[in-house]
Amino acid sequence: MNAVSFSHTSTTKVFSGILTTMRMRNLVMGLLFLTVLSPILLYTDKLSSSFTPSTSKQEDVNAFTLPTDTRHLNVLPQEESSTVIKEPIGIVYTDHINSSSNTILTEKDSQLPDAREHKYARVLSATDDEGHSQTDNIIKQIIQTTNQEEEESQSDNGSDQESQQKTQVQLEQQSAVNSGDDDEKDALLTETNKQTDQTAMPDARVRQLRDQLIKARVYLSLPATKNNPHFTRELRMRVKEVQRVLVDATKDSDLPKNAYAKLNAMDQLLEKGKQMQDDCATMVKKLRAMLHSTEEQLRVHKKQTMFLTQLTAKTLPKGLHCLPLRLTTEYYNLNSTEQQFPNQEKLDDPSLHHIALFSDNVLAAAVVVNSTITNSKHPSKLVFHIVSDRLNYAAMRMWFLVNPPGVATIQVQNIEEFTWLNSSYSPVLKQLGSRSMIDYYFRAARASSDSNLKYRNPKYLSILNHLRFYLPEIFPKLNKVLFLDDDIVVQKDLTGLWSLDLKGNVNGAVETCGENFHRFDRYLNFSNPHISKNFDPRACGWAYGMNIFDLKEWKRQNITDVYHTWQKLNHDRQLWKLGTLPPGLITFWKRTHPLDRRWHVLGLGYNPNVSQREIERAAVIHYNGNMKPWLEIGIPKYRSNWAKYVDYDHAYLRECNINP
């Protein structure tokens, strides 16, 4: 019964609204005719002839309705006074508009101050000020009509809200789908980043486990942890598990399969331990103490590493100690005629290519000779002059008697045979035999020790190292001599060096000033006036190892006396430390001709970053530094360039267990 009554009431309201609207329409049309159309018909014939009033039913419905608040007209575009007056066009909201249009109208209406009024009457019109004053009564009627239909407005708003909710649900669903896609992309990106990180850092998990051990030890030393026996016991158990997982692992691939589970378990336990800590100051103190202790241990280990590296460089491997002993024994079993080398008449021929090599290392000297002959275009012109010490003289001769250099000529001499080389003639020989020098090397606790251990290498005590300053005395009949160190490998033909014009200089060498530590100020003491007055601290250094010397110019410029003069001034080691390069830089100052860098590439005994392209292009590669290729500490990637000139199947090498 209530439903029937409500339906009857609603129907009555609808009919009454329609009647009211029809009356309002007739009134408005009459007003429009009086105020607008009549003046036009009376005073404008042309406009009257062109204007045809609308008779369609639809245009009768499209009548003007003004809103209650005239401020809304400001939002609408107004025609200027200069434009031709047009027929007003109105759009009235009807119930036949579909739901989608209803939603759109509602959204637009919400942007205006009073959307409710515009929902029932949208006005798009252009009138003059006189029309406004004559329609005040109509506005009042419209207000009354609007108030009567407020309930219907609320009903329509409810349907609009339902449509908005449906649209919002659709948007949320679409957003959820997009969000799901984004989550999948983020997960994929995260996984990719993890894989990239693991590729870039193959020991990332190992480092994380070690960090966990450090953090665990810190927690175990804190009072809050000690007061919790259960947590302490569990943490110690986890520490032991992580230690067993790590063992000797250096990269993630060395870890067992359960390493990740142990890592997560430790992480969870450490997070629990973190929540237990209430005294941050104590933890900070503990971490600082650990940091200080670690830094001190690092300093000690660095010092030990430097000492052990120097010791390894000085120590002869067991196999290389065995080899000269074995060769010496065999040499003295030969008769005198078997101990001689052929082609000795070529030793003083200045037209041949003479090479000086001063060494006490049989295997290293063998590589120099073998590599030079192998890569020479004219091996028959090569003459090798090897000088060794008393201990290795017989072994050196025996090696080259058993392994003759083919068509090349070889000479092996004993430095003890140079009777002219004595302490009265050579200042350096006198200094090397002095008590202060012996104390410096063998009784470091008594002498003023040097912080740089490389200057304490006993090789500097060997006169073989200084024999390069006496080339004219050793080879009085020769004009040019190529000097080679025993830690080099020849990779290309060196014939061009003997025909090189040194432009009046004595020494031909490759400059090394591309690096800062190869300047003069890195070798000489410029605080001493003898040095600062005569040399440029930023002058380019050069390298020993492969040098072509013009012995004629050497004699003419009296280079040996220059060397002796400076050596005497350095009797207390105040001008430079020990070694042969500093006195070489001084002796050949402004007497050195720079060679093309491809002749001589250095650094293979200390620098693991030498370009492979430079090595391949080099005529000579030099293993200067402590990491010699015949030592275990040699840089592995450079060892093959040296080892390919060693015959490891040789009987003597097998007997001494010398392997690649």
Side-chain angles (χ1 to χ4, degrees):
M1 186 70 180
N2 292 335
V4 173
S5 177
F6 176 77
S7 175
H8 177 72
T9 303
S10 300
T11 305
T12 303
K13 286 184 180 181
V14 169
F15 281 114
S16 63
I18 293 172
L19 291 174
T20 304
T21 303
M22 291 179 65
R23 293 192 197 100
M24 180 180 65
R25 182 194 63 186
N26 295 332
L27 183 62
V28 170
M29 290 297 295
L31 181 62
L32 283 174
F33 180 79
L34 291 174
T35 59
V36 179
L37 298 179
S38 295
I40 295 175
L41 293 173
L42 291 174
Y43 298 104
T44 309
D45 294 336
K46 182 177 180 179
L47 180 61
S48 176
S49 62
S50 63
F51 179 75
T52 303
S54 176
T55 58
S56 67
K57 185 177 180 179
Q58 179 66 29
E59 289 180 346
D60 289 341
V61 177
N62 294 337
F64 279 95
T65 303
L66 297 176
T68 58
D69 189 358
T70 57
R71 291 177 297 174
H72 293 292
L73 295 174
N74 295 331
V75 180
L76 304 174
Q78 304 294 325
E79 293 184 357
E80 298 180 357
S81 58
S82 61
T83 59
V84 178
I85 298 175
K86 298 181 180 180
E87 179 184 4
I89 301 173
I91 301 176
V92 179
Y93 176 81
T94 65
D95 292 335
H96 298 290
I97 299 174
N98 56 30
S99 61
S100 62
S101 300
N102 189 11
T103 303
I104 296 172
L105 287 173
T106 302
E107 292 175 355
K108 290 182 178 179
D109 291 343
S110 64
Q111 298 175 3
L112 298 176
D114 193 352
R116 179 170 52 85
E117 295 173 0
H118 288 272
K119 179 177 179 182
Y120 293 95
R122 293 232 180 226
V123 180
L124 301 174
S125 64
T127 59
D128 54 12
D129 294 337
E130 294 180 357
H132 289 173
S133 61
Q134 295 176 4
T135 57
D136 289 340
N137 295 328
I138 305 302
I139 294 173
K140 292 179 181 179
Q141 294 178 6
I142 295 173
I143 293 173
Q144 293 175 358
T145 304
T146 305
N147 291 333
Q148 292 174 359
E149 298 178 356
E150 184 175 0
E151 294 180 2
E152 185 177 354
S153 173
Q154 292 176 355
S155 175
D156 291 337
N157 285 337
S159 63
D160 292 340
Q161 291 175 0
E162 183 178 358
S163 176
Q164 289 178 350
Q165 290 176 356
K166 291 181 179 179
T167 304
Q168 183 67 22
V169 169
Q170 292 177 355
L171 291 174
E172 289 177 355
Q173 291 176 351
Q174 182 64 29
S175 176
V177 172
N178 293 338
S179 177
D181 294 341
D182 292 340
D183 291 341
E184 291 180 0
K185 292 178 181 177
D186 291 341
L188 181 60
L189 181 60
T190 302
E191 184 65 24
T192 304
N193 290 337
K194 287 181 179 180
Q195 293 177 358
T196 303
D197 292 341
Q198 291 178 358
T199 303
M201 294 183 61
D203 61 341
R205 191 164 292 174
V206 171
R207 292 187 179 191
Q208 190 174 356
L209 287 168
R210 288 174 178 167
D211 289 344
Q212 286 182 341
L213 287 178
I214 294 173
K215 190 182 293 186
R217 292 190 183 104
V218 173
Y219 284 168
L220 287 172
S221 65
L222 296 175
T225 306
K226 293 179 180 179
N227 295 334
N228 191 330
H230 176 71
F231 176 79
T232 302
R233 185 165 51 254
E234 186 178 359
L235 185 57
R236 285 176 177 168
M237 181 186 69
R238 295 296 182 191
V239 168
K240 291 180 180 179
E241 289 179 353
V242 172
Q243 288 175 338
R244 284 194 294 268
V245 166
L246 280 174
V247 192
D248 297 325
T250 58
K251 53 184 182 294
D252 293 352
S253 58
D254 298 336
L255 296 173
K257 294 181 179 180
N258 63 344
Y260 188 70
K262 302 296 183 185
L263 187 148
N264 288 336
M266 178 64 91
D267 258 344
Q268 295 174 4
L269 191 60
L270 290 176
E271 186 63 27
K272 186 188 299 184
K274 180 180 178 181
Q275 296 173 0
M276 293 172 52
Q277 308 305 322
D278 54 358
D279 189 358
C280 294
T282 303
M283 181 176 290
V284 170
K285 290 180 181 179
K286 182 65 178 179
L287 290 173
R288 284 179 178 173
M290 292 181 66
L291 178 62
H292 178 74
S293 175
T294 303
E295 289 177 346
E296 183 64 21
Q297 291 178 14
L298 178 61
R299 186 187 65 80
V300 172
H301 287 318
K302 282 184 175 180
K303 190 173 181 179
Q304 290 178 349
T305 301
M306 183 182 296
F307 173 78
L308 292 174
T309 301
Q310 295 293 335
L311 182 62
T312 305
K314 300 171 189 176
T315 305
L316 193 66
K318 188 180 296 184
L320 294 183
H321 181 68
C322 163
L323 182 61
L325 292 177
R326 184 78 173 84
L327 291 170
T328 300
T329 302
E330 294 293 332
Y331 177 76
Y332 286 112
N333 288 332
L334 300 177
N335 56 48
S336 58
T337 56
E338 293 174 335
Q339 295 176 352
Q340 303 303 315
F341 291 103
N343 303 322
Q344 296 299 291
E345 68 279 359
K346 295 182 178 180
L347 298 179
D348 296 328
D349 187 350
S351 64
L352 300 178
H353 302 157
H354 296 267
I355 299 173
L357 175 61
F358 309 142
S359 176
D360 57 1
N361 188 326
V362 175
L363 194 60
V367 170
V368 174
V369 172
N370 191 19
S371 63
T372 306
I373 294 173
T374 301
N375 295 286
S376 176
K377 295 179 180 179
H378 309 285
S380 61
K381 292 185 176 182
L382 294 176
V383 181
F384 294 92
H385 301 269
I386 300 176
V387 180
S388 189
D389 59 9
R390 178 175 54 186
L391 292 176
N392 295 281
Y393 166 72
M396 195 75 73
R397 289 184 68 89
M398 185 62 192
W399 177 266
F400 289 106
L401 287 170
V402 175
N403 304 279
V407 295
T409 302
I410 195 165
Q411 176 190 31
V412 178
Q413 295 177 279
N414 186 350
I415 194 173
E416 302 293 335
E417 298 173 359
F418 300 156
T419 55
W420 49 267
L421 187 61
N422 50 60
S423 58
S424 60
Y425 176 70
S426 172
V428 69
L429 193 59
K430 183 178 181 179
Q431 293 169 11
L432 291 176
S434 66
R435 174 55 58 181
S436 62
M437 191 70 70
I438 295 174
D439 286 345
Y440 180 79
Y441 282 109
F442 300 106
R443 301 178 185 177
R446 300 184 188 178
S448 56
S449 60
D450 196 288
S451 59
N452 195 334
L453 293 176
K454 78 174 185 177
Y455 293 121
R456 307 183 64 80
N457 195 328
K459 74 176 183 179
Y460 297 123
L461 285 174
S462 173
I463 191 60
L464 279 176
N465 207 39
H466 297 266
L467 208 57
R468 64 194 70 188
F469 293 103
Y470 297 101
L471 294 180
E473 287 81 0
I474 301 173
F475 311 113
K477 297 181 180 180
L478 302 181
N479 297 328
K480 276 190 176 181
V481 170
L482 177 65
F483 170 77
L484 297 178
D485 269 339
D486 62 358
D487 56 352
I488 64 98
V489 172
V490 177
Q491 299 187 133
K492 298 185 184 302
D493 180 54
L494 303 179
T495 303
L497 290 172
W498 282 273
S499 60
L500 194 65
D501 182 10
L502 298 181
K503 303 184 184 304
N505 292 295
V506 179
N507 175 27
V510 170
E511 291 183 336
T512 57
C513 56
E515 302 176 17
N516 289 331
F517 60 87
H518 285 148
R519 303 276 181 176
F520 269 45
D521 60 349
R522 303 297 294 179
Y523 298 99
L524 305 177
N525 179 18
F526 276 86
S527 64
N528 189 291
H530 290 294
I531 299 297
S532 59
K533 290 179 181 179
N534 292 282
F535 305 102
D536 178 8
R538 302 304 298 162
C540 280
W542 46 267
Y544 270 125
M546 190 217 70
N547 307 78
I548 185 72
F549 289 104
D550 187 335
L551 300 186
K552 282 188 175 181
E553 284 295 327
W554 186 309
K555 296 172 186 177
R556 190 182 69 81
Q557 299 183 34
N558 205 9
I559 297 299
T560 304
D561 284 348
V562 173
Y563 166 70
H564 284 171
T565 300
W566 284 102
Q567 195 67 53
K568 290 176 183 178
L569 291 173
N570 194 46
H571 64 92
D572 54 357
R573 299 187 301 279
Q574 295 301 308
L575 304 186
W576 68 83
K577 298 296 182 181
L578 298 176
T580 56
L581 184 55
L585 296 175
I586 290 176
T587 301
F588 298 105
W589 167 249
K590 295 185 178 180
R591 300 180 179 94
T592 299
H593 176 72
L595 301 179
D596 189 294
R597 301 177 72 89
R598 289 174 295 180
W599 279 112
H600 187 192
V601 170
L602 299 101
L604 278 70
Y606 68 89
N607 182 11
N609 299 316
V610 179
S611 168
Q612 185 63 32
R613 185 167 179 266
E614 289 185 11
I615 294 175
E616 292 173 356
R617 295 172 58 191
V620 172
I621 55 175
H622 195 171
Y623 293 82
N624 57 312
N626 288 325
M627 301 178 184
K628 304 298 184 186
W630 55 83
L631 299 176
E632 291 184 1
I633 61 172
I635 300 176
K637 66 178 181 178
Y638 301 146
R639 187 174 287 127
S640 61
N641 297 83
W642 183 86
K644 66 182 179 180
Y645 295 104
V646 178
D647 181 11
Y648 288 100
D649 292 329
H650 196 285
Y652 289 125
L653 300 187
R654 289 203 311 270
E655 290 175 5
C656 292
N657 199 26
I658 298 176
N659 301 307

PDB file of all heavy atoms in Angstrom, residues 214 217-222 226 280-293:
ATOM      1  N   ILE A 214      82.707 -10.856  12.108  1.00  0.00           N
ATOM      2  CA  ILE A 214      83.212  -9.701  12.854  1.00  0.00           C
ATOM      3  C   ILE A 214      82.118  -9.138  13.755  1.00  0.00           C
ATOM      4  O   ILE A 214      82.346  -8.842  14.940  1.00  0.00           O
ATOM      5  CB  ILE A 214      83.720  -8.621  11.876  1.00  0.00           C
ATOM      6  CG1 ILE A 214      84.937  -9.136  11.108  1.00  0.00           C
ATOM      7  CG2 ILE A 214      84.072  -7.338  12.619  1.00  0.00           C
ATOM      8  CD1 ILE A 214      85.409  -8.209  10.004  1.00  0.00           C
ATOM      9  N   ARG A 217      81.496 -11.392  16.748  1.00  0.00           N
ATOM     10  CA  ARG A 217      82.524 -11.264  17.790  1.00  0.00           C
ATOM     11  C   ARG A 217      82.319  -9.998  18.615  1.00  0.00           C
ATOM     12  O   ARG A 217      82.590  -9.988  19.821  1.00  0.00           O
ATOM     13  CB  ARG A 217      83.905 -11.274  17.146  1.00  0.00           C
ATOM     14  CG  ARG A 217      84.278 -12.622  16.528  1.00  0.00           C
ATOM     15  CD  ARG A 217      85.738 -12.662  16.122  1.00  0.00           C
ATOM     16  NE  ARG A 217      86.072 -13.921  15.473  1.00  0.00           N
ATOM     17  CZ  ARG A 217      86.241 -14.069  14.173  1.00  0.00           C
ATOM     18  NH1 ARG A 217      86.103 -13.029  13.369  1.00  0.00           N
ATOM     19  NH2 ARG A 217      86.550 -15.247  13.657  1.00  0.00           N
ATOM     20  N   VAL A 218      81.874  -8.939  17.943  1.00  0.00           N
ATOM     21  CA  VAL A 218      81.587  -7.707  18.689  1.00  0.00           C
ATOM     22  C   VAL A 218      80.456  -7.941  19.678  1.00  0.00           C
ATOM     23  O   VAL A 218      80.541  -7.569  20.858  1.00  0.00           O
ATOM     24  CB  VAL A 218      81.230  -6.560  17.715  1.00  0.00           C
ATOM     25  CG1 VAL A 218      80.770  -5.334  18.489  1.00  0.00           C
ATOM     26  CG2 VAL A 218      82.421  -6.196  16.857  1.00  0.00           C
ATOM     27  N   TYR A 219      79.375  -8.576  19.237  1.00  0.00           N
ATOM     28  CA  TYR A 219      78.240  -8.829  20.123  1.00  0.00           C
ATOM     29  C   TYR A 219      78.634  -9.721  21.299  1.00  0.00           C
ATOM     30  O   TYR A 219      78.168  -9.523  22.423  1.00  0.00           O
ATOM     31  CB  TYR A 219      77.103  -9.474  19.333  1.00  0.00           C
ATOM     32  CG  TYR A 219      76.342  -8.522  18.447  1.00  0.00           C
ATOM     33  CD1 TYR A 219      75.450  -8.982  17.491  1.00  0.00           C
ATOM     34  CD2 TYR A 219      76.514  -7.142  18.550  1.00  0.00           C
ATOM     35  CE1 TYR A 219      74.745  -8.109  16.669  1.00  0.00           C
ATOM     36  CE2 TYR A 219      75.825  -6.260  17.734  1.00  0.00           C
ATOM     37  CZ  TYR A 219      74.949  -6.750  16.797  1.00  0.00           C
ATOM     38  OH  TYR A 219      74.266  -5.885  15.991  1.00  0.00           O
ATOM     39  N   LEU A 220      79.475 -10.714  21.032  1.00  0.00           N
ATOM     40  CA  LEU A 220      79.886 -11.627  22.102  1.00  0.00           C
ATOM     41  C   LEU A 220      80.696 -10.926  23.186  1.00  0.00           C
ATOM     42  O   LEU A 220      80.756 -11.406  24.324  1.00  0.00           O
ATOM     43  CB  LEU A 220      80.709 -12.780  21.509  1.00  0.00           C
ATOM     44  CG  LEU A 220      79.915 -13.828  20.717  1.00  0.00           C
ATOM     45  CD1 LEU A 220      80.858 -14.794  20.033  1.00  0.00           C
ATOM     46  CD2 LEU A 220      78.946 -14.579  21.632  1.00  0.00           C
ATOM     47  N   SER A 221      81.301  -9.812  22.846  1.00  0.00           N
ATOM     48  CA  SER A 221      82.125  -9.093  23.830  1.00  0.00           C
ATOM     49  C   SER A 221      81.347  -8.025  24.591  1.00  0.00           C
ATOM     50  O   SER A 221      81.897  -7.392  25.492  1.00  0.00           O
ATOM     51  CB  SER A 221      83.320  -8.444  23.126  1.00  0.00           C
ATOM     52  OG  SER A 221      82.871  -7.445  22.214  1.00  0.00           O
ATOM     53  N   LEU A 222      80.072  -7.816  24.260  1.00  0.00           N
ATOM     54  CA  LEU A 222      79.277  -6.770  24.895  1.00  0.00           C
ATOM     55  C   LEU A 222      78.529  -7.317  26.114  1.00  0.00           C
ATOM     56  O   LEU A 222      78.115  -8.481  26.138  1.00  0.00           O
ATOM     57  CB  LEU A 222      78.285  -6.188  23.893  1.00  0.00           C
ATOM     58  CG  LEU A 222      78.921  -5.474  22.687  1.00  0.00           C
ATOM     59  CD1 LEU A 222      77.849  -5.038  21.703  1.00  0.00           C
ATOM     60  CD2 LEU A 222      79.747  -4.273  23.139  1.00  0.00           C
ATOM     61  N   LYS A 226      76.526 -10.998  27.038  1.00  0.00           N
ATOM     62  CA  LYS A 226      77.055 -11.899  28.078  1.00  0.00           C
ATOM     63  C   LYS A 226      76.001 -12.216  29.128  1.00  0.00           C
ATOM     64  O   LYS A 226      76.035 -13.295  29.745  1.00  0.00           O
ATOM     65  CB  LYS A 226      78.280 -11.268  28.730  1.00  0.00           C
ATOM     66  CG  LYS A 226      79.477 -11.134  27.798  1.00  0.00           C
ATOM     67  CD  LYS A 226      80.648 -10.479  28.506  1.00  0.00           C
ATOM     68  CE  LYS A 226      81.848 -10.343  27.572  1.00  0.00           C
ATOM     69  NZ  LYS A 226      82.994  -9.675  28.228  1.00  0.00           N
ATOM     70  N   CYS A 280      74.896   1.901  23.194  1.00  0.00           N
ATOM     71  CA  CYS A 280      75.593   2.158  21.931  1.00  0.00           C
ATOM     72  C   CYS A 280      77.016   2.643  22.150  1.00  0.00           C
ATOM     73  O   CYS A 280      77.895   2.376  21.343  1.00  0.00           O
ATOM     74  CB  CYS A 280      74.813   3.189  21.113  1.00  0.00           C
ATOM     75  SG  CYS A 280      73.198   2.599  20.562  1.00  0.00           S
ATOM     76  N   ALA A 281      77.244   3.366  23.214  1.00  0.00           N
ATOM     77  CA  ALA A 281      78.589   3.910  23.475  1.00  0.00           C
ATOM     78  C   ALA A 281      79.605   2.788  23.648  1.00  0.00           C
ATOM     79  O   ALA A 281      80.729   2.852  23.144  1.00  0.00           O
ATOM     80  CB  ALA A 281      78.556   4.798  24.714  1.00  0.00           C
ATOM     81  N   THR A 282      79.181   1.724  24.343  1.00  0.00           N
ATOM     82  CA  THR A 282      80.085   0.581  24.535  1.00  0.00           C
ATOM     83  C   THR A 282      80.405  -0.085  23.204  1.00  0.00           C
ATOM     84  O   THR A 282      81.556  -0.458  22.943  1.00  0.00           O
ATOM     85  CB  THR A 282      79.440  -0.439  25.488  1.00  0.00           C
ATOM     86  OG1 THR A 282      79.129   0.203  26.723  1.00  0.00           O
ATOM     87  CG2 THR A 282      80.371  -1.614  25.741  1.00  0.00           C
ATOM     88  N   MET A 283      79.403  -0.215  22.355  1.00  0.00           N
ATOM     89  CA  MET A 283      79.633  -0.822  21.045  1.00  0.00           C
ATOM     90  C   MET A 283      80.572   0.028  20.203  1.00  0.00           C
ATOM     91  O   MET A 283      81.450  -0.494  19.513  1.00  0.00           O
ATOM     92  CB  MET A 283      78.303  -1.016  20.320  1.00  0.00           C
ATOM     93  CG  MET A 283      78.444  -1.679  18.949  1.00  0.00           C
ATOM     94  SD  MET A 283      76.867  -2.012  18.149  1.00  0.00           S
ATOM     95  CE  MET A 283      76.265  -3.321  19.201  1.00  0.00           C
ATOM     96  N   VAL A 284      80.390   1.336  20.239  1.00  0.00           N
ATOM     97  CA  VAL A 284      81.272   2.224  19.480  1.00  0.00           C
ATOM     98  C   VAL A 284      82.707   2.088  19.951  1.00  0.00           C
ATOM     99  O   VAL A 284      83.647   2.021  19.144  1.00  0.00           O
ATOM    100  CB  VAL A 284      80.788   3.679  19.599  1.00  0.00           C
ATOM    101  CG1 VAL A 284      81.823   4.636  19.025  1.00  0.00           C
ATOM    102  CG2 VAL A 284      79.460   3.859  18.883  1.00  0.00           C
ATOM    103  N   LYS A 285      82.910   2.047  21.260  1.00  0.00           N
ATOM    104  CA  LYS A 285      84.267   1.891  21.797  1.00  0.00           C
ATOM    105  C   LYS A 285      84.890   0.569  21.354  1.00  0.00           C
ATOM    106  O   LYS A 285      86.068   0.504  20.996  1.00  0.00           O
ATOM    107  CB  LYS A 285      84.234   1.963  23.318  1.00  0.00           C
ATOM    108  CG  LYS A 285      83.929   3.350  23.870  1.00  0.00           C
ATOM    109  CD  LYS A 285      83.905   3.337  25.388  1.00  0.00           C
ATOM    110  CE  LYS A 285      83.573   4.723  25.940  1.00  0.00           C
ATOM    111  NZ  LYS A 285      83.520   4.725  27.423  1.00  0.00           N
ATOM    112  N   LYS A 286      84.059  -0.466  21.400  1.00  0.00           N
ATOM    113  CA  LYS A 286      84.566  -1.775  20.999  1.00  0.00           C
ATOM    114  C   LYS A 286      84.953  -1.782  19.525  1.00  0.00           C
ATOM    115  O   LYS A 286      86.020  -2.301  19.142  1.00  0.00           O
ATOM    116  CB  LYS A 286      83.493  -2.838  21.263  1.00  0.00           C
ATOM    117  CG  LYS A 286      83.933  -4.262  20.930  1.00  0.00           C
ATOM    118  CD  LYS A 286      85.058  -4.714  21.844  1.00  0.00           C
ATOM    119  CE  LYS A 286      85.462  -6.148  21.546  1.00  0.00           C
ATOM    120  NZ  LYS A 286      86.575  -6.588  22.414  1.00  0.00           N
ATOM    121  N   LEU A 287      84.127  -1.192  18.669  1.00  0.00           N
ATOM    122  CA  LEU A 287      84.426  -1.141  17.235  1.00  0.00           C
ATOM    123  C   LEU A 287      85.670  -0.312  16.953  1.00  0.00           C
ATOM    124  O   LEU A 287      86.473  -0.651  16.085  1.00  0.00           O
ATOM    125  CB  LEU A 287      83.223  -0.581  16.476  1.00  0.00           C
ATOM    126  CG  LEU A 287      81.991  -1.500  16.400  1.00  0.00           C
ATOM    127  CD1 LEU A 287      80.823  -0.764  15.774  1.00  0.00           C
ATOM    128  CD2 LEU A 287      82.315  -2.749  15.600  1.00  0.00           C
ATOM    129  N   ARG A 288      85.832   0.777  17.672  1.00  0.00           N
ATOM    130  CA  ARG A 288      87.037   1.598  17.494  1.00  0.00           C
ATOM    131  C   ARG A 288      88.289   0.835  17.891  1.00  0.00           C
ATOM    132  O   ARG A 288      89.322   0.933  17.226  1.00  0.00           O
ATOM    133  CB  ARG A 288      86.913   2.878  18.320  1.00  0.00           C
ATOM    134  CG  ARG A 288      85.975   3.915  17.708  1.00  0.00           C
ATOM    135  CD  ARG A 288      85.874   5.142  18.578  1.00  0.00           C
ATOM    136  NE  ARG A 288      85.027   6.154  17.976  1.00  0.00           N
ATOM    137  CZ  ARG A 288      84.648   7.277  18.575  1.00  0.00           C
ATOM    138  NH1 ARG A 288      85.059   7.522  19.820  1.00  0.00           N
ATOM    139  NH2 ARG A 288      83.890   8.150  17.935  1.00  0.00           N
ATOM    140  N   ALA A 289      88.171   0.085  18.983  1.00  0.00           N
ATOM    141  CA  ALA A 289      89.327  -0.711  19.415  1.00  0.00           C
ATOM    142  C   ALA A 289      89.670  -1.773  18.369  1.00  0.00           C
ATOM    143  O   ALA A 289      90.849  -2.006  18.061  1.00  0.00           O
ATOM    144  CB  ALA A 289      89.024  -1.368  20.759  1.00  0.00           C
ATOM    145  N   MET A 290      88.632  -2.397  17.804  1.00  0.00           N
ATOM    146  CA  MET A 290      88.868  -3.398  16.761  1.00  0.00           C
ATOM    147  C   MET A 290      89.481  -2.763  15.522  1.00  0.00           C
ATOM    148  O   MET A 290      90.375  -3.338  14.890  1.00  0.00           O
ATOM    149  CB  MET A 290      87.563  -4.100  16.405  1.00  0.00           C
ATOM    150  CG  MET A 290      87.012  -4.985  17.499  1.00  0.00           C
ATOM    151  SD  MET A 290      85.481  -5.818  17.002  1.00  0.00           S
ATOM    152  CE  MET A 290      86.099  -6.869  15.707  1.00  0.00           C
ATOM    153  N   LEU A 291      89.009  -1.580  15.159  1.00  0.00           N
ATOM    154  CA  LEU A 291      89.558  -0.887  13.995  1.00  0.00           C
ATOM    155  C   LEU A 291      91.028  -0.549  14.199  1.00  0.00           C
ATOM    156  O   LEU A 291      91.859  -0.761  13.303  1.00  0.00           O
ATOM    157  CB  LEU A 291      88.755   0.383  13.725  1.00  0.00           C
ATOM    158  CG  LEU A 291      89.225   1.254  12.555  1.00  0.00           C
ATOM    159  CD1 LEU A 291      89.137   0.476  11.248  1.00  0.00           C
ATOM    160  CD2 LEU A 291      88.393   2.524  12.462  1.00  0.00           C
ATOM    161  N   HIS A 292      91.350  -0.049  15.378  1.00  0.00           N
ATOM    162  CA  HIS A 292      92.750   0.277  15.673  1.00  0.00           C
ATOM    163  C   HIS A 292      93.622  -0.971  15.632  1.00  0.00           C
ATOM    164  O   HIS A 292      94.726  -0.963  15.064  1.00  0.00           O
ATOM    165  CB  HIS A 292      92.841   0.940  17.051  1.00  0.00           C
ATOM    166  CG  HIS A 292      94.246   1.264  17.478  1.00  0.00           C
ATOM    167  ND1 HIS A 292      94.972   2.308  16.943  1.00  0.00           N
ATOM    168  CD2 HIS A 292      95.074   0.653  18.375  1.00  0.00           C
ATOM    169  CE1 HIS A 292      96.170   2.341  17.487  1.00  0.00           C
ATOM    170  NE2 HIS A 292      96.257   1.350  18.363  1.00  0.00           N
ATOM    171  N   SER A 293      93.107  -2.051  16.207  1.00  0.00           N
ATOM    172  CA  SER A 293      93.869  -3.300  16.201  1.00  0.00           C
ATOM    173  C   SER A 293      94.066  -3.826  14.780  1.00  0.00           C
ATOM    174  O   SER A 293      95.153  -4.295  14.419  1.00  0.00           O
ATOM    175  CB  SER A 293      93.146  -4.345  17.047  1.00  0.00           C
ATOM    176  OG  SER A 293      93.791  -5.598  16.968  1.00  0.00           O
TER     177      SER A 293
END
